[in-house]
Every structure is written in structure tokens, then in C-alpha cells.
Amino acid sequence: MQGLILQLTRGGFLVLLWLFVFAVLRVLRTDLYAASGLRVTLPSSGRRSASRPPARGTKVARQLVVTHGALAGTRITLGTQAVLLGRADDSTLVLTDDYASTRHARISPRGSDWYVEDLGSTNGTYLDRDKVTSPVKVPLGTPVRVGKTTVELRP
């Protein structure tokens, strides 16, 4: 009876070990083969909102500022191109954060507004305290957290 319990314990431990190995391989594969970040998004209405100038008196995001993390104080001037956040060398903001994925998130313009989108990251992207599951509008001064790094849009 004692030998049977020992063998079942060994077998259970071996199964748990293999489940852990498969979980690690799945995360590595997700990071290595992440989406390239080249998606085209069109405005939902038939009008071209990108050509419409912002209303008078409204503030428009001009900079992306890193407020917390290893790159705190870094400023990126925003243009018409999306900003890719992640550990990949071709990212706009290359993060040295262990909690960030290779291609973690994208902040892209739609007209005069900016939207954040999670690119299938392992640890998720957060707008203020809410997890981002689909493209979400980013108000000025609202923190966007990617791993241990926090960024904000500033006028």
C-alpha cells in the first residue's frame, strides 16, 4: 500500500511538471510570434474624421510621457503614426520590463483622439485601473499601464 501511494505521488508530480513546461512554452510562443502591429483601423462612420480639425479650445495630445518605470521622464512627440509599446527592438517605446510582452500594446490616433489597444499581451494593458480588452479612447492625463511602466498623453 505504501509503495502505491509513493508511485501515485511521483506520477502526479510528473504530470504537474509537464503542465508547467507546456505553460511556459505557450507563453514563449505567444511572445515570439506576436502580431506585427500592422493593422489598419477605419473610423466607424462614413465621414473622414481624420481630416476634421479639433474644435476650438479643446486640448489635443502632443506628447506621450512615461511617468513611472525604468524610463520615467521619457517623452515621445506624437504625430500621425501609432506608438508601439513592448520589448521588441522595433517598438516605438522599447521597454526593459520583465512584465511587458514583445509587442504589448499600441496607442494609435483616430482623428484627434488616441486609442490604446492590447496586442495579446501576457499580463494585460490597463487604462487607469481597467483592463483593456478592445481599443479604448485614452483621455489626456489618464495613466496607461504596461507591466511596471506607466505612460500618459499630454497636450
Side-chain angles (χ1 to χ4, degrees), residues 1 7 15 32 35-36 43 46 65 72 81 87-88 91 98-99 121-122 135:
M1 187 66 167
Q7 290 297 335
V15 167
L32 289 175
S36 66
V65 179
Q81 296 295 318
R87 291 187 320 203
S91 297
D98 290 337
Y99 294 97
S121 65
T122 306

Side-chain angles (χ1 to χ4, degrees), residues 59-67 73-79 83 107 114 138-142 151-155:
K59 293 184 179 179
V60 179
R62 303 265 184 235
Q63 291 184 335
L64 182 70
V65 179
V66 179
T67 57
T74 303
R75 294 178 179 271
I76 296 175
T77 303
L78 299 174
V83 176
I107 300 176
W114 287 82
V138 181
L140 290 176
T142 304
V151 297
E152 291 181 7
L153 292 175
R154 300 274 172 87

Side-chain angles (χ1 to χ4, degrees), residues 10-25:
R10 285 180 181 170
F13 180 72
L14 189 60
V15 167
L16 286 174
L17 182 65
W18 277 107
L19 287 173
F20 175 74
V21 168
F22 286 130
V24 168
L25 289 175

Side-chain angles (χ1 to χ4, degrees), residues 7-149:
Q7 290 297 335
L8 287 175
T9 304
R10 285 180 181 170
F13 180 72
L14 189 60
V15 167
L16 286 174
L17 182 65
W18 277 107
L19 287 173
F20 175 74
V21 168
F22 286 130
V24 168
L25 289 175
R26 188 181 74 134
V27 168
L28 287 174
R29 190 192 79 191
T30 302
D31 272 358
L32 289 175
Y33 299 112
S36 66
L38 297 175
R39 278 190 231 158
V40 177
T41 55
L42 298 173
S44 58
S45 66
R47 294 178 286 160
R48 294 186 60 189
S49 60
S51 63
R52 188 177 29 170
R56 238 173 209 261
T58 59
K59 293 184 179 179
V60 179
R62 303 265 184 235
Q63 291 184 335
L64 182 70
V65 179
V66 179
T67 57
H68 292 92
L71 300 172
T74 303
R75 294 178 179 271
I76 296 175
T77 303
L78 299 174
T80 58
Q81 296 295 318
V83 176
L84 187 63
L85 308 170
R87 291 187 320 203
D89 291 334
D90 63 343
S91 297
T92 310
L93 182 63
V94 179
L95 304 174
T96 56
D97 186 353
D98 290 337
Y99 294 97
S101 297
T102 304
R103 285 182 173 71
H104 197 102
R106 177 182 2 180
I107 300 176
S108 55
R110 292 186 189 171
S112 61
D113 298 326
W114 287 82
Y115 285 77
V116 64
E117 177 182 6
D118 186 77
L119 299 175
S121 65
T122 306
N123 293 320
T125 302
Y126 293 86
L127 178 64
D128 204 5
R129 293 180 185 260
D130 300 325
K131 188 169 185 174
V132 174
T133 56
S134 63
V136 179
K137 182 179 173 183
V138 181
L140 290 176
T142 304
V144 176
R145 187 167 51 91
V146 173
K148 292 183 179 179
T149 305

